[in-house]
Amino acid sequence: MTDEGYIALSKPTIGQEEIDEVVDTLRAGWVTEGPKVRRFEEAFRDYVGVAHAVAASSGTAALHVALAAAGIGPGDEVITTPFTFCATVNVILYIGATPVLADIRLDDYNIDPGEVEKMITPRTKATIPVHFAGQPCDMDRLLALAREHGFLIIEDAAHAAGAEYRGRRIGSIGDMTAFSFYASKNMTTGEGGMLVTDDEGLARRARLFAHQGLTRDSWARYSHNGFWQHDVAALGFKYNMSDVLASLGIHQLARLPHLTEARQRIARQYQQLFESVPEIVVPEALGEVSHVWHLFVIRLRTEMLSIDRGRFIELMRDRGIATSVHYIPIHYHSAYCQRFGDLRGQFPNTESAYEGIVSLPIYPSLTEAQVQRVGETATDIVRRHRR
Ligand SMILES: *Cc1c(COP(=O)(O)O)cnc(C)c1O
């Protein structure tokens, strides 16, 4: 396969504005956190429509400081989905709390509020819903549960920058929301993340935890040595963002509406291409949402096929198309099995989704002809392997 013929799974869209901004930053000499991180935080905060934004070195870091800021720790339980990236569960373990998994719905692969409700105990301190693939979760039902039982909603919006739920931007709904700007995400700074919240106290504590627990505030106010004095007020982490990365973020954010439109166009094209292919279940935006299509995850009806998902992926790769699987369920990984025992069989929707899911290429620079080729190749493979 030639390089041109090969279709990657994801690619960032970096423009001249990003490049010029990075060069400007390097010339200015602010190679770590400085004025551009502030600019990026303010722009992101205003875009989401929320009072505070705290930039972080990754989406994982943003989630971790969110839990730390909320004062969650040993003895507390946090409910999340088994159909996610390991980071969502790892952060709960980092702070010494107990992750409690709740199964997903099969129509949108998001956490099922009915399953969340079953898992609530007096120790439940928060739930971390993941807006899978860029499709918002059923926030109204989750908010109602959180209010009734008095726990926090900390959203993992690693897939969902720019997504909307019933006219509200993701980030402006739950108590805190963490975004990721990792290379494969729908907007990127290479590595980076952002935590947003309307709560001033949570924002202040999150910022403290992301900066080694260092604070100058009280010294600046009360001491004539304010310019060098500081206090380590908590056991924090080295999780700040740099101006070099914020330079990318400022322009990625400005570009986000266009990036989203391009992804939505590709999703519509795939939906049309698979319209009359019964062996493939196609994802759809459900309800009153704006889906940002970080991922396009089809599900093979393997009972109709003579090949399994693994073979399908191999055949796609042989024909020059990269695909992947989002996600291998959390409880299938050995580290969690060692810790929690064998939970297989407890999350039937997650497990049955996992058997058939395949993520197809989706990114703004993917051409109409390439989408067509992916769709036709996938269709051809399933037609040749009908049971
Ligand atoms: C990417 C991702 C994260 C972690 O983001 P990083 O920026 O890579 O730390 C967390 N949760 C989900 C669902 C993700 O996809």
Side-chain angles (χ1 to χ4, degrees):
M1 209 30 83
T2 65
D3 231 27
E4 264 166 79
Y6 181 74
I7 299 179
L9 182 66
S10 82
K11 273 186 188 176
T13 305
I14 307 283
Q16 193 60 43
E17 289 87 346
E18 283 87 333
I19 294 167
D20 291 344
E21 197 73 48
V22 169
V23 170
D24 178 73
T25 300
L26 297 176
R27 292 228 157 90
W30 269 111
V31 288
T32 182
E33 187 170 4
K36 291 196 182 170
V37 171
R38 289 292 91 71
R39 233 175 95 196
F40 183 33
E41 285 176 338
E42 284 163 17
F44 199 85
R45 175 195 74 191
D46 294 347
Y47 173 78
V48 168
V50 78
H52 308 279
V54 179
S57 53
S58 69
T60 309
L63 274 174
H64 187 183
V65 297
L67 291 168
I72 294 169
D76 296 336
E77 294 175 357
V78 178
I79 302 172
T80 192
T81 166
F83 202 63
T84 187
F85 184 56
C86 60
T88 318
V89 173
N90 287 350
V91 293
I92 301 169
L93 295 167
Y94 293 165
I95 55 161
T98 304
V100 175
L101 303 178
D103 205 1
I104 55 166
R105 308 193 322 196
L106 268 182
D107 54 356
D108 62 3
Y109 308 113
N110 278 330
I111 198 166
D112 183 340
E115 294 299 313
V116 171
E117 189 166 14
K118 288 183 199 163
M119 300 299 174
I120 296 169
T121 76
R123 291 169 183 262
T124 305
K125 288 289 153 40
T127 180
I128 308 183
V130 177
H131 305 298
F132 182 82
Q135 164 129 278
C137 293
D138 186 346
M139 293 308 294
D140 283 345
R141 287 186 62 200
L142 292 172
L143 284 167
L145 288 174
R147 252 184 244 116
E148 186 186 338
H149 298 274
F151 57 78
L152 297 174
I153 294 192
I154 301 171
E155 293 160 66
D156 181 340
H159 300 180
E164 288 170 28
Y165 173 80
R166 308 191 68 187
R168 297 171 69 185
R169 232 173 223 138
I170 290 301
S172 67
I173 302 173
D175 296 285
M176 286 185 272
T177 303
F179 295 88
S180 166
F181 310 128
Y182 182 66
S184 63
K185 302 293 156 77
N186 65 324
M187 66 173 273
T188 185
T189 59
E191 299 280 359
M194 189 78 78
L195 183 70
V196 301
T197 179
D198 267 327
D199 186 299
E200 197 190 332
L202 289 175
R204 193 173 355 96
R205 285 199 293 283
R207 194 175 290 286
L208 184 74
F209 283 118
H211 293 84
Q212 309 270 30
L214 277 168
T215 173
R216 294 172 191 282
D217 295 357
S218 50
W219 289 101
R221 252 179 273 139
Y222 302 118
S223 160
H224 63 280
N225 285 328
F227 62 93
W228 62 265
Q229 274 286 8
H230 61 265
D231 181 37
V232 177
L235 177 62
F237 314 99
K238 169 65 177 169
Y239 277 171
N240 62 286
M241 182 180 268
S242 82
D243 267 27
V244 178
L245 299 188
S247 304
L248 292 165
I250 289 163
H251 295 282
Q252 285 280 292
L253 182 64
R255 214 181 278 291
L256 185 57
H258 293 289
L259 300 178
T260 300
E261 273 169 41
R263 286 173 180 277
Q264 289 171 339
R265 191 165 6 88
I266 293 166
R268 275 197 302 278
Q269 196 186 340
Y270 275 137
Q271 285 165 341
Q272 280 160 11
L273 284 165
F274 296 130
E275 215 161 34
S276 51
V277 185
E279 295 86 354
I280 293 176
V281 182
V282 176
E284 288 186 53
L286 299 176
E288 212 182 307
V289 302
S290 173
H291 189 322
V292 293
W293 298 104
H294 160 57
L295 299 172
F296 193 89
V297 178
I298 59 167
R299 193 164 87 243
L300 302 176
R301 287 195 203 276
T302 46
E303 73 281 4
M304 297 171 77
L305 300 172
S306 60
I307 53 170
D308 65 6
R309 181 264 316 280
R311 183 70 188 136
F312 175 87
I313 286 176
E314 271 173 22
L315 292 169
M316 289 289 279
R317 190 197 51 200
D318 290 348
R319 291 171 67 167
I321 297 166
T323 60
S324 190
V325 174
H326 298 89
Y327 289 96
I328 298 169
I330 288 295
H331 61 293
Y332 283 23
H333 292 290
S334 57
Y336 308 113
C337 286
Q338 279 163 28
R339 213 177 248 266
F340 305 115
D342 187 359
L343 300 180
R344 277 178 202 245
Q346 294 194 21
F347 311 103
N349 284 353
T350 296
E351 293 176 15
S352 97
Y354 169 65
E355 292 303 315
I357 48 167
V358 180
S359 301
L360 299 184
I362 187 163
Y363 44 95
S365 60
L366 197 64
T367 65
E368 205 180 316
Q370 286 175 314
V371 176
Q372 176 106 8
R373 196 180 120 207
V374 174
E376 284 172 355
T377 306
T379 303
D380 184 56
I381 292 171
V382 299
R383 293 236 157 102
R384 283 168 192 268
H385 297 91
R386 274 190 179 135
R387 207 187 264 284

